[in-house]
Amino acid sequence: MIPAAVLTLFVGVGIGSAGAGEEEASSEAKPQPTVTVTESAAAAKPAKDDAKPAPTVTVTKTVKPKAEEKPAEKEEAASGEVVFKAWGSGPAGVDINYGSDSDSRSGKGLPFEKTLKLDDEAMYYHVSAQLMGSGDINCSVTVGGETKKGHAEGDYNICTAQVNSGLLGGWD
């Protein structure tokens, strides 16, 4: 009876350790957002009128959504202007707030671009874009040739960028 108990113990330990390795590997994997697209192939026409119709073939492919790449361009605000931008992918929407320490405004939708008149007495200019679900977005604010950028990816995350007034003039 003792040999049977020892054998059962070793078999149980072997089964338990074999399954434990699989659980650890899967727990480290991070879920990635995916989009599933289903396409149906056209059905073939039967050779005879009394023939049964051919079965429909369905092909499913899964693709990972990507943030839209902004074309490479030199970001500059005209003298006396501040430019606020947000771009990327936000399928459920994006709430955008922008302005200065004394002027707050809001906007929606991507791509987003607004221009305000520069107030030399402003302490800073900022843009904040919050995902209303999943997505991948970028944002920027440009003042006097100085551009600051931000990035956000994932559910309800926030992209922020801010340019501050320098102590001795200018923007940084």
Side-chain angles (χ1 to χ4, degrees), residues 22-73:
E22 293 175 16
E23 290 177 9
E24 289 176 13
S26 65
S27 68
E28 292 177 10
K30 294 183 180 179
Q32 296 294 323
T34 57
V35 176
T36 302
V37 179
T38 304
E39 300 173 358
S40 296
K45 295 194 178 214
K48 297 180 183 178
D49 290 339
D50 60 340
K52 293 181 182 178
T56 302
V57 178
T58 302
V59 177
T60 303
K61 60 183 176 180
T62 303
V63 291
K64 182 178 176 183
K66 290 184 178 179
E68 296 175 20
E69 292 295 325
K70 184 157 176 95
E73 63 182 51

Side-chain angles (χ1 to χ4, degrees), residues 7 32 42 139 165:
L7 179 63
Q32 296 294 323
C139 59
S165 140

